[in-house]
Amino acid sequence: MLLPKNRVKLLLNMLIIAGQTIPRGGALTVDPIGAGETMGFRISASGLNARIPHAVPALLEGTSENGSIDAHAVQPYYAGLLARACGLRVSLTAEGDAIIVATV
């Protein structure tokens, strides 16, 4: 079964965001949440100095600290738009030495 186009775009954008949480490299692990057209995703990003980039959570919610979206901010902002179009939200949480990027 193929996923709807916006869910595939969301997953790819979430992978880019997860990669940004491990600036020195590491490993990304993707797990599905649910099944079928309501499927969500959980990405675990583990690596040296894993961290949540400062502005990303707000951008995922559709807000910007300074009111504008620049080239660095467009990726999480767009991922948030895609998530909302799918009826989801994207969250970032720290779990031990990993950052979890997940749909909720």
Side-chain angles (χ1 to χ4, degrees):
M1 177 179 145
L2 296 175
L3 286 176
K5 174 174 59 172
N6 278 349
R7 288 196 188 260
V8 174
K9 289 180 193 178
L10 176 59
L11 173 60
L12 294 174
N13 279 274
M14 288 172 63
L15 283 166
I16 292 170
I17 292 167
Q20 293 172 349
T21 67
I22 46 176
R24 300 189 137 223
L28 298 176
T29 305
V30 180
D31 294 305
I33 299 173
E37 291 195 17
T38 61
M39 179 185 294
F41 311 100
R42 182 182 190 277
I43 303 169
S44 174
S46 56
L48 189 60
N49 294 332
R51 59 173 177 68
I52 297 174
H54 175 69
V56 171
L59 288 164
L60 287 169
E61 294 297 324
T63 59
S64 170
E65 289 180 352
N66 61 5
S68 66
I69 306 296
D70 62 13
H72 296 283
V74 72
Q75 201 74 51
Y77 184 80
Y78 181 61
L81 287 174
L82 285 169
R84 288 187 293 281
C86 294
L88 301 168
R89 277 185 46 246
V90 177
S91 70
L92 277 84
T93 55
E95 283 187 11
D97 292 337
I99 303 299
I100 306 301
V101 182
T103 56
V104 290

